[in-house]
């Protein structure tokens, strides 16, 4: 994943309401939820919810599937896992010898 794609995903989460929507979809699992059910569970008004879903979809965090007149929204678990891996990819890469007892003792 490159920085641009990661920024799109993290930017889409830059709202408490969008985080609540995404968490609701994560809890729902791979079957997802129609917009009306997301609205019922979150209490977010329909027009505002549509706005938030648009951002989440643009950030590749939510997939949308039209089934007749209903749009099913699903968390994109693969992309969410990739974002988590991206941010943790170089975790602790600059720390060396942190488990070295002599180094720990020298700092006491």
């Amino acid at each position: 994943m490159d920085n641009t794609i990661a920024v799109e995903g993290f930017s889409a989460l830059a709202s408490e309401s969008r985080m609540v929507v995404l968490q609701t979809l994560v809890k729902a699992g791979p079957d997802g939820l129609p917009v009306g059910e997301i609205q019922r569970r979150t209490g977010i008004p329909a027009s505002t919810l549509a706005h938030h879903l648009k951002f989440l979809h643009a950030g590749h965090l939510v997939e949308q599937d039209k089934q007749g007149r209903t749009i099913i929204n699903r968390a994109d678990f693969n992309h969410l896992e990739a974002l988590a891996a991206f941010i943790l990819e170089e975790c602790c890469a600059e720390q060396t010898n942190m488990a070295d007892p002599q180094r720990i003792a020298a700092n006491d």
Side-chain angles (χ1 to χ4, degrees):
M1 175 177 298
D2 67 24
N3 284 347
T4 302
I5 298 295
V7 167
E8 288 174 356
F10 289 119
S11 293
L13 288 174
S15 156
E16 185 176 349
S17 294
R18 287 194 289 272
M19 181 66 78
V20 168
V21 170
L22 184 60
Q23 289 173 321
T24 300
L25 291 172
V26 167
K27 289 176 190 174
D31 290 341
L33 296 169
V35 174
E37 183 60 19
I38 300 169
Q39 183 182 6
R40 186 187 72 74
R41 293 184 186 193
T42 63
I44 297 172
S47 61
T48 306
L49 179 57
H51 169 78
H52 291 311
L53 286 168
K54 178 181 172 184
F55 269 89
L56 292 168
H57 180 68
H60 312 285
L61 302 176
V62 170
E63 299 172 328
Q64 297 180 318
D65 181 32
K66 190 168 184 178
Q67 297 178 357
R69 296 177 65 197
T70 303
I71 297 175
I72 302 297
N73 295 272
R74 295 178 184 84
D76 186 337
F77 290 101
N78 290 332
H79 194 72
L80 289 168
E81 287 176 357
L83 276 175
F86 176 83
I87 202 69
L88 296 173
E89 185 176 338
E90 295 189 43
C91 175
C92 310
E94 293 185 0
Q95 292 186 355
T96 57
N97 300 322
M98 288 305 294
D100 181 1
Q102 291 178 343
R103 184 169 188 261
I104 293 169
N107 290 327
D108 286 341

